[in-house]
Amino acid sequence: MPITANDVNRTSWLEVEENSDFPIQNIPFGVFITSDDVITIGTRIGSYAIDLSALQQLGYFDGIELTEGVFLQDTLNDFIAAGKKTWRLVRNRLADIFDANNPHLRDNASHREAVVFHLADVQVQIPVEVGDFTDFYSSREHATNVGKMFRDPNNALLPNWLHIPVGYHGRSSTVVPSGVPVHRPYGQTLPKGETQPVFGPSKRVDFELETAFITTCANSMGERLSVEEAEDHIFGMVLLNDWSARDIQTWEYVPLGPFLAKNFGSSISPWIVTLDALEPFRTASPVQDDPKPLPYLQQEGNHAFDIDLEVGILPEYGEEKIVSKSNFKHLYWTMSQQLAHHTVNGCKINTGDLMGSGTISGPTADSYGSMLELTWGGQNPLTLHDGSSRTFIEDNDTVIMRGFCKNENVRIGFGEVRSKLLPAIPFE
Ligand code: CA
């Protein structure tokens, strides 16, 4: 089935600002509360939020097999469970409804009033009920930098890293959408040179620049997904700030990996950009020939996407400073390899599972995806526009991540994930 929604010649009768992340070729999916206090599934074109449940009630999806009320919900899970064919049909239809040349909704004022809202008048919510949250560790540059800092600079990558898309199971209960602040966590840390831990607020709160993909129900327990079919079970992607407390992490992570250092807040962008929308930006991932992965992880063709990423720090009083620019295509392991690996033992993947990429660091020092790397463990502080310096994130700083793809025809973006670090809640 062709992806007619991606037609670059199409324009919308809704105004779209130049350089918007959300032209009519994007059509992401999200959840919002309308100014009439109705929660609905929606999409976004330019600065407009579009109510899909109203569109369904008014018959605009007639001819597409959809459960009644599938959009009148507070999560996208049921729609995602309907599968790739349905996602594509709905996206194609939405492109058609909002095409500049289609008068049906354009010229129907009462329908328009029920369907189209200014973004400023709605409250955007978390788009899915996240089932399981898995976080990978798939950037070779990031894993190498961390290995150099904490282990052996000459053997920075652990022996398994080039063979396995390394990951761990996180928690979904503290995944929050853009705009929700996160408190500095308390925890145990081991001060330098000491042998006994202390307890208190983390002194090394960091961001991790990541993306994440959201799955549909993919397999039964015991079944595995091949690397070739894995992408068919990926609904779309979001930006992810995987907040991390480095000092807590350093003390707790041996031998079972990160625990409380990683589950006090994970922030995601609210509009899920479909893999269909990203299709024009498919590109090669790093060559994997030294060593070659095991056969179940080998794949042909292009499975990365050319997504520019950036991180800004906005101090409470002052101007935002961009501290990193990276790109999703730097990741060594692709999403399809991650998903094939995740299921190779028969682990079941559900609709609404969230799979983080791992920190996406590029090859140069200005493309590292965490303060840990940008300041090299706190040794080289960054200077913000107001002259203040940062080794890690300070109270009341806001971290903003953005991501977009751009070619000569179209720009498809994610908007942003923005979250403020609030002071620790006093321990009484
Ligand atoms: Ca992470």
Side-chain angles (χ1 to χ4, degrees), residues 133 135-137 142 168 208-210 240-244 246 249 258 262 356-359:
F133 172 32
D135 198 22
F136 287 94
Y137 189 59
H142 174 68
Y168 73 97
E208 289 191 334
L209 171 61
E210 302 195 23
L240 165 66
N241 178 359
D242 187 27
W243 287 99
S244 299
R246 300 298 178 197
Q249 183 179 353
K262 297 279 189 174
S357 57
T359 306

Side-chain angles (χ1 to χ4, degrees), residues 53-89:
S53 62
L55 279 174
Q56 186 180 21
Q57 279 162 19
L58 294 169
Y60 284 88
F61 294 124
D62 284 359
I64 303 176
E65 234 177 89
L66 290 167
T67 323
E68 207 185 317
V70 68
F71 296 122
L72 194 60
Q73 305 216 14
D74 57 6
T75 73
L76 274 157
N77 293 52
D78 283 358
F79 176 62
I80 294 173
K84 184 174 181 173
K85 186 180 158 203
T86 305
W87 315 332
R88 193 170 284 181
L89 284 168

Side-chain angles (χ1 to χ4, degrees), residues 265-296:
S266 307
S267 307
I268 63 172
S269 56
W271 297 102
I272 306 177
V273 177
T274 62
L275 279 206
D276 273 0
L278 295 170
E279 191 57 43
F281 301 95
R282 216 172 250 287
T283 189
S285 47
V287 175
Q288 299 177 334
D289 60 2
D290 185 23
K292 263 193 179 334
L294 289 169
Y296 79 95

Side-chain angles (χ1 to χ4, degrees), residues 111-239:
H111 282 192
R112 252 188 359 249
E113 199 180 320
V115 167
V116 180
F117 296 83
H118 281 283
L119 207 60
D121 297 331
V122 306
Q123 284 175 272
V124 179
Q125 307 288 298
I126 194 159
V128 282
E129 183 178 358
V130 179
D132 284 312
F133 172 32
T134 297
D135 198 22
F136 287 94
Y137 189 59
S138 288
S139 156
R140 183 174 189 161
E141 289 79 4
H142 174 68
T144 303
N145 288 338
V146 172
K148 277 185 189 168
M149 264 182 268
F150 292 110
R151 288 185 297 271
D152 175 2
N154 298 315
N155 291 292
L157 284 183
L158 286 167
N160 61 5
W161 200 90
L162 291 166
H163 299 278
I164 292 177
V166 170
Y168 73 97
H169 286 121
R171 275 188 73 78
S172 56
S173 55
T174 31
V175 176
V176 290
S178 181
V180 174
V182 169
H183 282 275
R184 179 180 298 275
Y186 269 75
Q188 283 196 29
T189 59
L190 186 69
K192 210 172 177 166
E194 301 290 326
T195 54
Q196 295 301 309
V198 297
F199 180 75
S202 167
K203 295 189 172 78
R204 295 188 149 206
V205 174
D206 200 354
F207 59 79
E208 289 191 334
L209 171 61
E210 302 195 23
T211 60
F213 63 89
I214 290 146
T215 59
T216 185
C217 178
N219 59 338
S220 305
M221 179 177 165
E223 284 179 0
R224 61 182 66 100
L225 287 180
S226 71
V227 74
E228 289 83 17
E229 66 188 329
E231 272 179 17
D232 287 340
H233 301 280
I234 298 175
F235 175 63
M237 295 174 66
V238 292
L239 305 171

